[in-house]
Amino acid sequence: MIFYFSGTGNSRWVARGLAQHLSESTLVDIAAALRAKQHDFSLQPTEMLGFVFPIHSWGIPPLVRSFVDSLKISGYAQQRVFGVFTCGDECGYSNIDFKRLISAKGLTCRHIYSVQMPNTYICMSGFKLDTPELETAKMVRAEVDVQRISDALRADSPIQQYHQGRYNFLKSRLIYPGFIRFAMDSRPFRVDERCVSCGRCERSCPTGNITLDAQNRPQWARHCVQCLACLHHCPTQAIDYGKHTQGKGRYTRFASDTDGK
Ligand SMILES: Cc1cc2nc3c(=O)[nH]c(=O)nc-3n(C[C@H](O)[C@H](O)[C@H](O)COP(=O)(O)O)c2cc1C
């Protein structure tokens, strides 16, 4: 059983790759499970238990934390548990935090990995999308990484595959809490005259934070998780987050908001 959370498709892509390599048939969308208030899951004796999600500000997205906190797993008898994080570059102390989160549920996790994928964070000055060349190189590498991780899981033999980076105390212990407190705000979202009222933003929002007004233009409520699905999925780039996302291009792993779901 693999639980995943994904805004722009990278983590969904990794979750699907792992499921394929490991012949794990159950893929659970964390955001959908939370919306459906589904917290009880049953693990078969031969199943593994995996968690795949993106790194947000060198930490675990709060939505994933809430999900794990509320999770009730029956049938756990030391089956293999793993965490695979997708990141643009570095994950900081997310490995330590994940281990702690999982241990609190009585689960033992010896396999924690990360896969570098195309970057999606563009909301601040200095943060931009990868060049097409870097994006291609990351995807080639990611295919290899998913295969390596699957092999390690099948053999139950942990490997070194984690991008921690530098200045981790600063990033994961100082910046991350600040990000959670101050930056997860939907008020800076804007939509301009390029909006074609297609509703893709609403459909792509994993938390149901977007409603459409009488002209079918998006309106954001206050429980945004900053996954940026709406902004990146907009086919006309009509959505911006403040001024720093303007003219920076957009990225999604799948062609539309419903592909690959
Ligand atoms: C709000 C936000 C914060 C991010 N913070 C980080 C980070 O701290 N380190 C990093 O390497 N990538 C960071 N990224 C990039 C994503 O982790 C990366 O692109 C990920 O693969 C996106 O996964 P998804 O498409 O499944 O949502 C961030 C992206 C977003 C949207």
Side-chain angles (χ1 to χ4, degrees):
M1 183 178 305
I2 300 178
F3 296 110
Y4 73 90
F5 169 57
S6 187
T8 38
N10 285 346
S11 309
R12 192 181 311 131
W13 182 89
V14 168
R16 285 175 144 205
L18 290 168
Q20 214 170 11
H21 288 304
L22 296 168
S23 307
E24 288 291 334
S25 52
T26 312
L27 270 176
V28 179
D29 178 339
I30 290 177
L34 277 172
R35 285 173 76 178
K37 299 193 182 348
Q38 193 187 357
H39 307 292
D40 296 286
F41 294 88
S42 153
L43 197 64
Q44 298 304 309
T46 53
E47 269 186 309
M48 295 188 199
L49 178 59
F51 299 83
V52 182
F53 54 84
I55 292 303
H56 283 178
S57 195
W58 301 283
I60 300 172
L63 174 137
V64 174
R65 283 183 181 272
S66 308
F67 179 73
V68 175
D69 280 343
S70 65
L71 190 59
K72 293 195 186 82
I73 296 276
S74 60
Y76 175 66
Q78 298 300 319
Q79 289 96 324
R80 242 153 277 173
V81 178
F82 64 88
V84 179
F85 317 148
T86 72
C87 61
D89 296 295
E90 299 167 348
C91 306
Y93 287 149
S94 305
N95 53 348
I96 296 169
D97 297 343
F98 182 71
K99 202 159 204 165
R100 206 172 282 153
L101 187 67
I102 283 293
S103 311
K105 303 301 293 186
L107 304 167
T108 310
C109 180
R110 295 170 59 236
H111 296 268
I112 299 181
Y113 306 117
S114 63
V115 179
Q116 285 181 332
M117 302 281 293
N119 177 48
T120 58
Y121 190 71
I122 56 171
C123 298
M124 286 186 193
S125 160
F127 290 84
K128 50 186 180 7
L129 292 185
D130 295 332
T131 60
E133 294 75 24
L134 182 56
E135 187 182 316
T136 305
K138 280 184 173 176
M139 288 313 298
V140 170
R141 181 72 225 174
E143 292 261 11
V144 176
D145 290 346
V146 169
Q147 177 72 64
R148 281 188 72 227
I149 292 169
S150 305
D151 292 345
L153 284 166
R154 222 179 291 105
D156 198 12
S157 175
I159 54 170
Q160 284 293 335
Q161 167 71 40
Y162 184 73
H163 305 87
Q164 186 163 61
R166 295 182 345 151
Y167 313 117
N168 297 307
F169 186 84
L170 171 71
K171 290 169 171 172
S172 296
R173 299 289 178 255
L174 301 178
I175 298 176
Y176 171 75
F179 173 84
I180 301 301
R181 183 136 184 232
F182 301 112
M184 289 180 55
D185 185 358
S186 52
R187 281 173 296 185
F189 278 114
R190 303 267 177 277
V191 64
D192 66 24
E193 68 291 343
R194 288 172 292 178
C195 175
V196 290
S197 304
C198 65
R200 195 182 278 185
C201 47
E202 184 222 16
R203 291 193 300 280
S204 66
C205 177
T207 60
N209 190 47
I210 296 178
T211 49
L212 300 177
D213 67 12
Q215 283 80 45
N216 272 344
R217 290 159 66 97
Q219 299 205 301
W220 287 264
R222 299 298 293 276
H223 48 277
C224 174
V225 295
Q226 284 281 299
C227 70
L228 305 184
C230 56
L231 179 142
H232 285 290
H233 277 291
C234 176
T236 57
Q237 303 193 9
I239 296 175
D240 274 299
Y241 189 81
K243 62 177 189 224
H244 292 299
T245 56
Q246 287 170 7
K248 281 188 177 170
R250 299 295 185 259
Y251 166 85
T252 55
R253 190 68 253 142
F254 295 100
S256 83
D257 53 304
T258 48
D259 279 356
K261 276 202 172 167

